[in-house]
Amino acid sequence: MLVTKITVQLPRGLQARNTTTFVYKARSFSSDVILTKRNDSSNGKEIMKVMDLNVNNGDEVTLYVNGVDEKISMDTLKNFLLNK
């Protein structure tokens, strides 16, 4: 399992379009993806659950990735949240 804390650098945070892109990327991997903000967590592969976290630009989130392709999954999702 890989774990990292990230300060989101998406201009609109994880609003509808960015959430859709994040979930699409997460679903492309077989690894489990969990996104947490403060004490709330959600399955990173479920659009409504991710939107419920209300992640804005500048918020700190923790990303947990576990599975056979966890390294590439973590790198891809981390880079997306860092707007790279």
Side-chain angles (χ1 to χ4, degrees):
M1 175 180 277
L2 300 176
V3 179
T4 190
K5 287 189 178 188
I6 302 166
T7 300
V8 176
Q9 296 177 14
L10 295 169
R12 293 182 154 192
L14 285 177
Q15 301 299 328
R17 182 175 294 163
N18 288 336
T19 298
T20 302
T21 303
F22 178 87
V23 169
Y24 177 77
K25 288 177 183 287
R27 287 180 180 173
S28 72
F29 300 104
S30 63
S31 294
D32 295 325
V33 176
I34 303 295
L35 188 65
T36 65
K37 178 183 168 189
R38 295 189 196 113
N39 292 328
D40 296 326
S41 63
S42 74
N43 182 338
K45 295 183 178 185
E46 295 183 26
I47 290 174
M48 295 310 293
K49 299 288 185 181
V50 174
M51 287 190 73
D52 284 346
L53 291 177
N54 194 28
V55 176
N56 296 304
N57 185 30
D59 286 349
E60 184 176 89
V61 297
T62 304
L63 184 61
Y64 299 87
V65 180
N66 186 39
V68 295
D69 55 0
E70 63 189 20
K71 175 72 172 118
I72 187 70
S73 178
M74 175 64 83
D75 291 344
T76 300
L77 297 173
K78 180 179 174 183
N79 285 336
F80 176 74
L81 292 173
L82 294 174
N83 198 24
K84 292 185 179 178

